[in-house]
Amino acid sequence: MRIISVSKLRDFWLQSKYRDSEQALRAWYTEAKRSDWSNPHQIKRAYRTASIIGNNRVVFNICGNKYRLVVAIKYEYKICYIRFIGTHKQYDEIDIEEV
């Protein structure tokens, strides 16, 4: 997969209060980059706790479910767009299908 806007991940883990997310986000990025997801079922096989949402959104639990990562995937083009990374509280305040 081609990951778009990796800088969002980096900007998040560089914040002092979220530094604990760096290793988990780097691991997710490495795995996602090597993946060849053609449909949501392939993601669920690799990430059982991932949530498949409408509008081609997928929510990944990061750092033992401490943070949420929302991506939009264009399966036909093998592109994964980073749409949101944040805490559960921040996640609860967004419209997941619109980010």
Side-chain angles (χ1 to χ4, degrees):
M1 298 297 287
R2 195 166 125 214
I3 313 298
I4 304 294
S5 201
V6 176
S7 62
K8 286 185 181 183
L9 300 179
R10 190 176 314 109
D11 291 347
F12 184 77
W13 80 55
L14 288 176
Q15 296 178 53
S16 61
K17 58 186 170 183
Y18 304 129
R19 291 210 187 256
D20 62 333
S21 67
E22 181 177 1
Q23 184 177 9
L25 288 170
R26 283 182 183 272
W28 176 88
Y29 172 77
T30 300
E31 289 178 29
K33 187 176 170 184
R34 292 179 182 162
S35 297
D36 187 26
W37 299 320
S38 298
N39 59 62
H41 301 292
Q42 291 178 332
I43 295 171
K44 284 296 280 185
R45 272 186 284 200
Y47 295 92
R48 296 186 192 277
T49 61
S51 299
I52 308 301
I53 309 297
N55 202 16
N56 289 324
R57 301 295 198 265
V58 181
V59 180
F60 294 94
N61 297 318
I62 302 295
C63 262
N65 207 19
K66 186 174 182 181
Y67 305 111
R68 294 279 176 101
L69 171 64
V70 179
V71 300
I73 298 179
K74 298 291 184 191
Y75 296 100
E76 63 273 17
Y77 301 110
K78 306 294 185 198
I79 297 175
C80 181
Y81 297 93
I82 306 295
R83 305 303 297 160
F84 170 85
I85 177 69
T87 65
H88 276 270
K89 183 178 179 183
Q90 293 164 336
Y91 171 83
D92 290 340
E93 296 172 0
I94 65 169
D95 180 350
I96 190 170
E97 292 185 24
E98 296 298 320
V99 295

